[in-house]
Amino acid sequence: MELLVLIIIVALVAVFGVMSSVRVVPQARRYNIERFGRYRATLQPGLNFVIPVADRVNTKLDIREQVFTSQPQPVITEDNLVVAIDTVLYYQITDPRAAAYEVANYVLAIDQLTVTTLRNVIGSMDLERTLTSREEINAQLRTVLDEATGKWGIRVNRVEIKAIDPPKTIKEAMEKQMRAERDKRAAILHAEGDRQAKILTAEGTRQQEILVAQGDQQARILRADGEAQAVERVFQAVHRNNADPKVLAYKYLETLPHLANGGNNTFWVIPGELTEAIRTVTNAFGDHSTMGMSSNGPGQDDDDQPDSTERHELTAGEPASLSAAAAATQAAQQAQNAVDEAKAEAEAATAGTANPLGPSSSRRKAAR
């Protein structure tokens, strides 16, 4: 019975010894082993054997990349403004032995080193440069931290400034400044847009006026060309048909009554060429008048002779006592009578009548 108990005790001791000598290390972990209080080795991931009682695990380290966020720290800038800055660090343990034995608390050491380095860097910058130079600050922090933590078996992969909080009064002043800058840019953009709109409007108006002027010019040129061609054709037709003075005088007198047409005509000026035109008509039909006088003889009635008083009235006009409307009406009537006489004489000359003076004289008497 005593032998059985002894065997059981020995077996339990053996099982405990075997279990104590086996160490299973997970992936991305490192165990530092001390033998009788002195560093012996660093166990790698997997199954490892140690000497029970003599070897023990001192530290268990995670070699994955770690993230450390510091609390906001007050930092004084070059222009004596206090800003609160908090940072984010990404680090990784590269030497488990140095991380365990070269520094007592590597997390606290990294935090304090970051704060002191940040104060040195920010102290040489003003607030505006601090807010706009984050990349420069990150690069300087990483350089200093890499150099200091290298002997601790730690590599700082990245340093980022998470926030920079200036004082409340500075924030309000910055907001006012930014608002003023935005208002300034908006006013400049509005003025520039208004200027561009006015320039485009003026350019469009100028182009419109130029096009209208060019169109008016072309229209005037075309009308002038048309009138010139019409006049030229009329003159060519007149010269080609060899018109005599009778026709020309008749056409001249035919247009005179149209000058007095219209209800608003209160003043009518008789052209100075009217006497010449009547004289031309008289000369044109002078041969027929002479023939009429020779056929009638000296005993012809005085009523058949041309009325000198009527001719005087045509050339000289009415006395000054008549009104302008009455003078215009009488002048128009006289011109119409002259046209009728010229037309009758032209018809008589065309028909080849033997005595053109008789009908004209009778028509003249009827008109009077």
Side-chain angles (χ1 to χ4, degrees):
M1 187 66 177
E2 293 178 358
L3 182 60
L4 181 59
V5 172
L6 183 59
I7 293 172
I8 292 173
I9 292 173
V10 172
L12 291 176
V13 171
V15 171
F16 177 76
V18 171
M19 292 180 62
S20 299
S21 63
V22 176
R23 291 290 185 270
V24 178
V25 180
Q27 184 66 31
R29 300 292 192 277
R30 298 294 185 270
Y31 291 173
N32 290 326
I33 300 300
E34 293 180 352
R35 179 171 293 175
F36 298 113
R38 184 176 180 178
Y39 172 78
R40 187 184 70 85
T42 300
L43 301 181
Q44 300 297 322
L47 183 61
N48 296 275
F49 294 95
V50 296
I51 299 175
V53 181
D55 296 338
R56 70 181 185 90
V57 177
N58 181 28
T59 53
K60 297 179 180 180
L61 301 175
D62 189 348
I63 63 173
R64 293 176 297 179
E65 187 172 8
Q66 304 292 322
V67 180
F68 174 74
T69 302
S70 64
Q71 297 297 326
Q73 300 293 332
V75 181
I76 301 176
T77 62
E78 187 181 12
D79 47 357
N80 297 325
L81 293 175
V82 180
V83 294
I85 301 177
D86 55 339
T87 58
V88 178
L89 280 80
Y90 298 86
Y91 67 93
Q92 187 177 10
I93 296 175
T94 57
D95 187 357
R97 178 185 174 280
Y101 296 101
E102 294 295 336
V103 61
N105 188 346
Y106 60 85
V107 175
L108 181 60
I110 292 174
D111 183 21
Q112 295 302 316
L113 182 61
T114 301
V115 172
T116 55
T117 305
L118 191 61
R119 286 177 178 172
N120 292 333
V121 174
I122 299 299
S124 61
M125 298 180 179
D126 56 6
L127 179 60
E128 186 176 357
R129 186 181 174 188
T130 301
L131 296 174
T132 58
S133 304
R134 294 196 176 193
E135 291 295 332
E136 181 181 354
I137 297 172
N138 295 338
Q140 294 185 18
L141 283 174
R142 181 179 176 183
T143 300
V144 174
L145 291 175
D146 237 2
E147 182 180 355
T149 59
K151 61 180 181 179
W152 298 340
I154 297 173
R155 182 178 69 247
V156 177
N157 296 327
R158 192 177 183 87
V159 180
E160 294 291 342
I161 294 178
K162 186 167 65 175
I164 300 176
D165 296 327
K168 185 177 180 180
T169 56
I170 301 299
K171 285 184 179 180
E172 293 176 355
M174 291 173 62
E175 290 177 358
K176 292 180 180 179
Q177 181 181 1
M178 293 301 298
R179 191 179 301 111
E181 288 292 334
R182 292 190 182 94
D183 294 341
K184 176 184 175 182
R185 288 198 296 268
I188 292 174
L189 292 176
H190 181 71
E192 185 69 20
D194 191 12
R195 184 176 72 88
Q196 292 292 335
K198 290 182 178 179
I199 290 174
L200 293 177
T201 302
E203 186 68 21
T205 304
R206 185 175 71 87
Q207 292 292 336
Q208 180 183 2
E209 292 179 355
I210 289 174
L211 293 176
V212 170
Q214 290 178 352
D216 189 19
Q217 179 186 9
Q218 293 294 330
R220 290 172 182 262
I221 292 173
L222 292 176
R223 282 195 296 268
D225 291 341
E227 293 176 0
Q229 292 178 4
V231 172
E232 183 179 0
R233 289 187 180 182
V234 169
F235 276 103
Q236 288 178 358
V238 170
H239 288 292
R240 185 169 55 249
N241 296 327
N242 194 15
D244 55 359
K246 299 178 182 179
V247 178
L248 298 177
Y250 166 71
K251 296 299 292 183
Y252 183 82
L253 294 175
E254 189 180 25
T255 58
L256 290 178
H258 297 286
L259 297 176
N261 290 337
N264 295 327
N265 292 335
T266 59
F267 182 74
W268 183 49
V269 178
I270 300 175
E273 293 82 1
L274 181 60
T275 305
E276 185 67 24
I278 295 175
R279 186 179 296 111
T280 302
V281 174
T282 304
N283 294 333
F285 298 100
D287 297 338
H288 299 284
S289 300
T290 304
M291 292 174 61
M293 292 176 62
S294 60
S295 61
N296 293 329
Q300 186 182 4
D301 191 3
D302 292 339
D303 294 337
D304 295 337
Q305 299 297 327
D307 194 352
S308 60
T309 304
E310 180 182 358
R311 186 186 310 167
H312 175 71
E313 290 177 355
L314 272 174
T315 56
E318 290 296 322
S321 60
L322 295 177
S323 63
T329 305
Q330 187 173 2
Q333 184 63 34
Q334 292 176 358
Q336 182 65 37
N337 294 336
V339 170
D340 294 339
E341 293 175 3
K343 184 184 297 185
E345 292 176 357
E347 291 177 355
T350 303
T353 58
N355 189 12
L357 185 59
S360 64
S361 300
S362 62
R363 289 189 181 89
R364 189 183 306 113
K365 292 180 180 180
R368 285 199 298 268

